[in-house]
Amino acid sequence: MIRKKKCVAMLLAGGQGSRLYALTNNIAKPAVSFGGKYRIIDFPLSNCVNSAIDTVGVLTQYQPLILNSYIGNGQPWDLDRAFGGVHTLPPYQGKNSSDWYKGTANAIYQNLRFIKQYDPDYVLVLSGDHIYKMNYSIMLNYHILNNADCTIAAIDVPIEEASRFGILNTNDDGSIYEFEEKPKKPKSTLASMGIYIFSAKKLEKYLEEDNLNPKSSNDFGKDILPRMLSCGEKMMAYRFEGYWKDVGTIDSLYEANMDLLGDNPKFDINDNSWKIQSRSPLAPPHYIGDGAKTFNSIIMSGCEIYGTVENSVLSSNVIVKKGAVVKNSIIMGDVVIDENSKVEYSIIDENVLVGKNVSIGQAKDDDKGIAVLGRGISICDNAVVSGGQIIDKDIIKGDK
């Protein structure tokens, strides 16, 4: 009996994430912490298993160590399968050389052998830097019913933001007649979400042709999709109307975390009908000390709060000492904020030590932006980090 999969997912997770600055100096963007207990990659992985897609290739490249370790055998997402499951796929080691992925399309091309071993009818291509809940099986059914060669998930965006995206211009039936990659003057507000379903044979054909074209940038948006359109392939837009956030910038990552707070959050991360799974660290329940104050915040296991935490997201094992105040901020795992320090409108990465009487960030209405502290650094007593500053090395005595 021939074993095959109906659909294989390929998750692009190798980007450098340069617009996240200090947060991605040492880790891949999909491995960045989110929402207290998650990493960004948890969302597409959970979407896959919730959509009954149990074979996922994760294409890694930049700083893959933490990401590879986090994914492991895929058990937290029920992706530890004997046939299928999750597999990390670094750049292909050829006979004479090792080729870095040259673009999104080239990354998939280098892993056609992985895809072919499952002989799928369809291939789902995903990005690893979006926060959303989506049932890919509904999109796949839409693709099949329309007898499409390629289906692109799309979402309406404000006209002033449209030039940041690939824009789809469609007919009344949803078929795409034009694809514009980041146009200066967009003709519509229907933006590609970077989520594609291809009929497998068509994808293979266009990737192989693209690989032979020396002028190609080997990118889906710039090369593959326009080429398919010009060749008359049937391409459909699948409209998505739920929450979706590209967290590729400091501002968007901050906003997405803040969207989790409140009695009626913009994004319900605790929706039991569509669970987002993660590889959570083992830690005791959080502890709120006598005299501590907490308000409208996510505080994860292992945290110890002796000061004040308001409108903030705290990952596991964060310690906020007596007199310290954390407001409107994101504090990632294993951070210590010492006595009488103030953190406001900031993002602090994992394993950071903040000394006593430190001031980090400023109020939102100062409009200087979000202060960012990179992974594993120490901030000395009495130091000042102003709003908008991005710090990726220790601050010692005398530094401001």
Side-chain angles (χ1 to χ4, degrees):
M1 179 176 130
I2 298 174
R3 302 179 75 190
K4 63 175 289 173
K5 297 287 184 180
K6 181 178 180 180
C7 183
V8 167
M10 300 295 281
L11 175 51
L12 297 162
Q16 185 171 346
S18 57
R19 292 178 300 161
L20 289 177
Y21 302 101
L23 299 179
T24 50
N25 279 354
N26 300 300
I27 64 171
K29 181 164 54 173
V32 170
S33 294
F34 180 83
K37 66 178 289 189
Y38 305 96
R39 295 186 186 269
I40 295 170
I41 199 168
D42 288 328
F43 293 84
L45 287 179
S46 296
N47 286 340
C48 281
V49 73
N50 289 338
S51 303
I53 295 171
D54 63 9
T55 305
V56 185
V58 180
L59 286 68
T60 61
Q61 178 160 284
Y62 172 79
Q63 296 284 6
L65 183 62
I66 292 175
L67 183 62
N68 291 352
S69 175
Y70 183 74
I71 293 170
N73 66 355
Q75 185 271 332
W77 306 273
D78 192 27
L79 287 170
D80 51 337
R81 307 294 178 96
F83 182 65
V86 66
H87 300 263
T88 54
L89 304 170
Y92 179 69
Q93 178 69 51
K95 183 176 180 181
N96 299 313
S97 66
S98 177
D99 290 329
W100 289 108
Y101 294 144
K102 300 181 182 73
T104 54
N106 178 256
I108 304 296
Y109 170 78
Q110 287 198 37
N111 289 285
L112 280 176
R113 184 177 298 176
F114 170 82
I115 295 172
K116 288 178 181 179
Q117 69 180 325
Y118 298 104
D119 190 25
D121 297 314
Y122 308 99
V123 178
L124 169 65
V125 177
L126 303 168
S127 295
D129 52 0
H130 300 150
I131 302 298
Y132 65 113
K133 292 180 285 190
M134 182 177 180
N135 191 333
Y136 303 134
S137 64
I138 296 176
M139 180 179 172
L140 179 58
N141 289 338
Y142 176 87
H143 177 87
I144 295 169
L145 287 171
N146 283 285
N147 195 29
D149 299 301
C150 172
T151 297
I152 303 174
I155 192 167
D156 272 310
V157 297
I159 187 64
E160 60 271 16
E161 295 181 17
S163 60
R164 294 174 42 222
F165 296 92
I167 295 298
L168 311 178
N169 300 312
T170 63
N171 300 306
D172 291 342
D173 65 352
S175 59
I176 301 167
Y177 66 83
E178 187 178 27
F179 180 89
E180 298 179 283
E181 180 68 6
K182 298 181 179 178
K184 291 183 179 178
K185 294 183 178 179
K187 299 172 187 174
S188 84
T189 58
L190 193 60
S192 168
M193 298 167 66
I195 300 168
Y196 317 119
I197 292 178
F198 294 92
S199 296
K201 299 301 181 187
K202 292 284 186 177
L203 176 63
E204 181 182 337
K205 172 182 182 294
Y206 282 95
L207 287 178
E208 289 180 343
E209 290 177 0
D210 181 73
N211 184 63
L212 295 174
N213 179 4
K215 296 180 179 179
S216 175
S217 55
N218 308 121
D219 183 82
F220 278 105
K222 295 175 183 176
D223 304 288
I224 299 295
L225 302 180
R227 175 69 177 161
M228 290 184 73
L229 204 57
S230 68
C231 289
E233 304 293 357
K234 187 171 185 183
M235 302 179 70
M236 299 294 296
Y238 173 78
R239 286 179 177 264
F240 178 73
E241 296 181 351
Y243 181 97
W244 178 81
K245 181 81 89 170
D246 181 340
V247 288
T249 67
I250 294 294
D251 285 342
S252 61
L253 179 66
Y254 178 87
E255 290 165 5
N257 274 274
M258 294 299 111
D259 285 345
L260 307 177
L261 300 178
D263 293 333
N264 295 295
K266 292 182 180 179
F267 184 58
D268 183 6
I269 209 166
N270 297 312
D271 178 5
N272 286 327
S273 68
W274 197 265
K275 286 190 174 182
I276 305 299
Q277 304 292 354
S278 67
R279 188 182 293 280
S280 301
L282 294 174
H286 68 253
Y287 174 76
I288 309 297
D290 292 339
K293 297 178 182 178
T294 62
F295 173 76
N296 192 39
S297 296
I298 293 172
I299 300 173
M300 296 309 301
S301 59
C303 289
E304 298 177 26
I305 311 300
Y306 303 96
T308 299
V309 177
E310 293 183 11
N311 302 315
S312 295
V313 177
L314 275 58
S315 296
S316 295
N317 302 313
V318 172
I319 300 174
V320 179
K321 293 193 177 180
K322 187 176 180 180
V325 177
V326 176
K327 290 185 178 180
N328 305 306
S329 294
I330 302 162
I331 314 297
M332 298 180 187
D334 299 290
V335 168
V336 176
I337 299 169
D338 215 331
E339 293 179 1
N340 301 316
S341 288
K342 184 173 183 180
V343 178
E344 189 161 11
Y345 200 34
S346 301
I347 300 176
I348 300 181
D349 205 345
E350 299 174 16
N351 298 296
V352 170
L353 300 176
V354 175
K356 297 177 181 178
N357 303 304
V358 172
S359 176
I360 300 173
Q362 290 167 293
K364 290 183 183 181
D365 51 16
D366 287 344
D367 201 28
K368 291 186 178 179
I370 301 160
V372 178
L373 302 187
R375 169 185 299 261
I377 65 174
S378 297
I379 308 298
C380 72
D381 295 351
N382 305 307
V384 175
V385 177
S386 14
Q389 271 196 287
I390 296 175
I391 306 295
D392 60 2
K393 60 183 180 180
D394 291 350
I395 293 184
I396 59 176
K397 294 288 185 184
D399 287 348
K400 295 288 185 183

